[in-house]
Amino acid sequence: MDKHTQTRWAEQFRRFAALECPQDPLYVAICQAVAEQPELLALMVHAPATQAKPNLLLAALHERVLAGIKHPLAGYYPSVGGTRLPDEELPALLQDFARSQAAELTIHMQTRGTQTNEIGRCAILWPALQQIATMNGKPDLALFDLGSSAGLNLGVDAYHYRYLTHDASFCLGADPQPQRPSIDCRLLGELLLPAAGRWRLSHRLGADPAPIDIYDAAATRWLAACLWPHDLVRAQRLQQALTQARQSQHALQQADDCLALLEAWLRKLPAQVQPVLFNSWVLAYFEPAALAEFRQRVASLQRQYGLIWLSAEAPALRPSGLALPNLARNATASTLWTLQWADGDATRQVALAWSHPHGAWLQWLGLQPTTAAD
Ligand SMILES: C[S@@+](CC[C@H](N)C(=O)[O-])C[C@H]1O[C@@H](n2cnc3c(N)ncnc32)[C@H](O)[C@@H]1O
């Protein structure tokens, strides 16, 4: 690695420590240590351009720790029971650990991407599905999760949700049980849902160009490694959701063109079922031209099959023509949930909710007046 590239990477790690992970003291200390060690910075040259980010190296190191490598560095990682706070010994231990794991780290940098599957988002998906079930009077929903990763959001009806306001709480979803994922979500304002009779997911399918095999220990360990080591709540509910997914066995398919798979699936659905296309934190992976084509193809499926599109993405990826609704929080770090459906030849679209990217809070908007994008 030449001097210029080294300086650039060192700067990126320092920036990551300052801006991206200040809530995780271990990651701040590791990023600062990496920035000072050319040998560690050199690992970044193995990553393809699309994945070359500090969090890829952080995940690669974390994976080795979760794999059970016996080394004093593990003592800093809360995710494996470590309680040691970052100290002056950490940089040397990190270097020693990276040397001992150089072969595996290099393979991770060459072949992996940071990939998560966040069921916290189901705290918004659940009420969104209830809303959809009342729109056309079809209580049987068919959920197609595009970019489903390990398919854990397909289990949305099997998780327990607790919504917390400043002075009260209420629950939705499945009843609480010791091994059942339980998701807490702070409610900003009210969650005004139409009274729905019983709705259910009669059909579900996940599709992803690179699905995670939930029966492959290395693959699911990588999912866990992409979480930050201090966040034991997310780590625990990921493991619970994986266990539940292995029992439920919802269908998950590899597809390079997920919309082609969706169309084939829609053709076979019974008429009384309401199909729902769902994507969360997926559209950022599309190039602009591919995204424009994707939107056109979805609009066509909406007209042809009555498909309702629920999209949970960064606000910049909202449907064109949809005004940005007011937000009680910082918009740049938030997810906008939108609904789109066909109304004759026109497309109706509405902003349904704002949320934290992982579902830690929800600002419900409901079916406010729609804008038409003819
Ligand atoms: C940030 S993850 C989100 C996973 C999941 N939707 C969630 O909310 O936890 C992005 C996912 O999008 C998938 N993806 C990337 N490009 C895609 C494409 N062209 N079509 C569908 N999915 C794609 C990735 O493989 C990855 O699993």
Side-chain angles (χ1 to χ4, degrees):
M1 182 183 272
D2 62 52
K3 197 76 188 155
H4 173 72
T5 313
Q6 194 177 304
T7 307
R8 191 169 49 80
W9 272 116
E11 186 46 41
Q12 289 215 29
F13 273 89
R14 286 195 196 96
R15 199 171 332 122
F16 196 87
L19 301 178
E20 304 285 339
C21 61
Q23 70 277 44
D24 192 320
L26 174 60
Y27 272 9
V28 170
I30 291 179
C31 285
Q32 287 168 346
V34 171
E36 299 299 326
Q37 296 186 29
E39 191 180 330
L40 293 173
L41 288 171
L43 285 165
M44 296 309 297
V45 301
H46 299 298
T50 50
Q51 289 298 333
K53 299 182 191 99
N55 42 353
L56 182 66
L57 180 57
L58 293 168
L61 291 162
H62 193 195
E63 190 281 336
R64 294 289 73 214
V65 171
L66 293 178
I69 303 300
K70 296 262 176 294
H71 190 280
L73 187 74
Y76 295 101
Y77 279 78
S79 50
V80 289
T83 54
R84 188 171 173 178
L85 295 176
D87 52 24
E88 68 284 358
E89 269 189 83
L90 184 140
L93 290 174
L94 177 63
Q95 187 172 45
D96 185 66
F97 182 77
R99 276 183 191 158
S100 74
Q101 300 300 308
E104 294 82 355
L105 289 173
T106 301
I107 292 172
H108 281 334
M109 300 302 288
Q110 288 168 336
T111 60
R112 298 277 189 187
T114 50
Q115 189 174 16
T116 52
N117 196 183
E118 183 45 65
I119 65 159
R121 296 175 185 138
C122 289
I124 299 91
L125 178 56
W126 197 99
L129 291 173
Q130 166 139 337
Q131 179 78 66
I132 289 168
T134 59
M135 285 169 64
N136 290 334
K138 290 182 173 179
D140 284 357
L141 303 179
L143 179 63
F144 187 93
D145 185 7
L146 181 139
S148 57
S149 189
L152 301 181
N153 287 335
L154 291 170
V156 52
D157 51 344
Y159 306 146
H160 176 70
Y161 308 100
R162 196 163 60 119
Y163 298 86
L164 310 159
T165 65
H166 63 284
D167 59 355
S169 72
F170 65 93
C171 299
L172 292 174
D175 292 338
Q177 281 180 13
Q179 295 312 316
R180 174 167 281 165
S182 179
I183 296 163
D184 280 357
C185 178
R186 258 175 310 120
L187 198 54
L188 311 179
E190 283 183 284
L191 177 50
L192 289 175
L193 280 174
R198 290 180 72 81
W199 59 269
R200 65 173 191 131
L201 293 180
S202 58
H203 299 70
R204 49 191 121 194
L205 180 60
D208 198 297
I212 299 280
D213 179 354
I214 58 173
Y215 303 97
D216 177 337
T220 56
R221 191 165 61 238
W222 181 256
L223 262 193
C226 290
L227 303 182
W228 292 3
H230 76 279
D231 198 341
L232 303 183
V233 171
R234 273 182 91 192
Q236 187 198 30
R237 74 184 185 206
L238 171 64
Q239 294 308 330
Q240 289 177 331
L242 283 167
T243 303
Q244 203 151 307
R246 288 183 200 111
Q247 289 157 3
S248 318
Q249 300 189 344
H250 299 312
L252 192 59
Q253 282 190 35
Q254 192 283 332
D256 293 324
D257 180 351
C258 294
L259 285 187
L261 181 64
L262 170 61
E263 178 154 26
W265 189 68
L266 288 170
R267 269 193 236 113
K268 291 191 206 138
L269 286 179
Q272 75 275 13
V273 164
Q274 173 60 59
V276 181
L277 165 63
F278 171 57
N279 50 265
S280 57
W281 286 91
V282 175
L283 300 188
Y285 290 76
F286 286 67
E287 296 296 334
L291 183 57
E293 188 198 334
F294 180 88
R295 289 189 194 282
Q296 279 184 1
R297 288 174 71 194
V298 173
S300 159
L301 294 176
Q302 287 170 329
R303 285 193 293 274
Q304 222 178 325
Y305 297 97
L307 177 70
I308 294 182
W309 183 15
L310 172 64
S311 183
E313 301 287 344
L317 294 169
R318 69 189 182 281
S320 68
L322 184 68
L324 210 53
N326 288 334
L327 168 66
R329 298 245 157 182
N330 168 18
T332 53
S334 305
T335 301
L336 184 64
W337 293 67
T338 60
L339 274 183
Q340 276 187 280
W341 66 96
D343 182 5
D345 282 340
T347 300
R348 298 283 158 197
Q349 50 198 32
V350 61
L352 189 64
W354 283 108
S355 79
H356 176 272
H358 301 151
W361 58 260
L362 162 63
Q363 181 186 344
W364 187 254
L365 304 168
L367 291 187
Q368 289 178 353
T370 57
T371 50
D374 302 279

